[in-house]
Amino acid sequence: MESHKLHLQKVLSVLRQHQLHAKLSKCYFAQTELEYLDHIITAQGVVADPAKISCMTSWPTPNTIKALRGFLGLTGYYRKFVRAAEEAFNKLKMAMTTTPVLTLPDFSKKFILETDASDSVIGAVLMQDGRPIDFHSKPLGLKAMGLSNI
């Protein structure tokens, strides 16, 4: 604290010599932690702002391109601070490039058709022996295309 007081006196003295002024509402003295550029700086180090972390963890699963871009924009800056980011990125690439292998239909066996629908989309999977043969999904009407206000 004594060192802080000495440095503060020097800084304010130089400002006064050059007839410069500090805006008191933007000045914080003798703080144990400080928020700066979405980080919290303490004597122990720098951590991400808990408000930003809370926002990321409570973000709903994106179901549109716009929502996904919003989430990626929010998390994009912090990715360089996350040790597991490279591993998570590689897992995502693997999941996106290793789609389930479709099997050929055997017309002597039973088929199973699983369907699901919501207000905006309908989907179906045609299977045989627990393996997918074909997938289908389709948006329903103007609402599904984001045009419900027209």
Side-chain angles (χ1 to χ4, degrees), residues 31-34 40-47:
Q31 301 293 307
T32 57
E33 64 180 39
L34 177 69
I40 305 296
I41 302 168
T42 67
Q44 291 74 37
V46 179
V47 296

Side-chain angles (χ1 to χ4, degrees), residues 113-135:
L113 180 64
E114 290 188 4
T115 62
D116 196 9
S118 69
D119 289 342
S120 59
V121 68
I122 187 168
V125 179
L126 181 63
M127 297 189 310
Q128 202 169 50
D129 293 332
R131 296 194 58 206
I133 294 173
D134 195 18
F135 298 95

Side-chain angles (χ1 to χ4, degrees), residues 15-123:
L15 287 174
R16 197 175 305 119
Q17 285 174 2
H18 296 282
Q19 298 177 353
L20 297 172
H21 305 279
K23 187 171 184 177
L24 189 59
S25 65
K26 293 188 177 187
C27 296
Y28 300 94
F29 304 108
Q31 301 293 307
T32 57
E33 64 180 39
L34 177 69
E35 181 185 336
Y36 182 72
L37 297 177
D38 295 332
H39 290 83
I40 305 296
I41 302 168
T42 67
Q44 291 74 37
V46 179
V47 296
D49 184 350
K52 292 288 186 185
I53 298 299
S54 174
C55 187
M56 282 184 258
T57 57
S58 64
W59 195 281
T61 302
N63 55 9
T64 65
I65 295 295
K66 185 177 180 178
L68 178 61
R69 285 182 182 148
F71 180 73
L72 293 175
L74 175 65
T75 60
Y77 172 74
Y78 287 103
R79 76 181 182 282
K80 59 185 150 213
F81 300 106
V82 179
R83 288 185 178 95
E86 186 71 24
E87 180 184 347
F89 180 65
N90 287 332
K91 283 183 178 180
L92 178 60
K93 287 194 299 188
M94 183 63 74
M96 296 305 290
T97 58
T98 55
T99 56
V101 176
L102 300 179
T103 188
L104 294 173
D106 181 347
F107 292 98
S108 66
K109 296 181 180 179
K110 289 185 178 182
F111 291 90
I112 296 174
L113 180 64
E114 290 188 4
T115 62
D116 196 9
S118 69
D119 289 342
S120 59
V121 68
I122 187 168

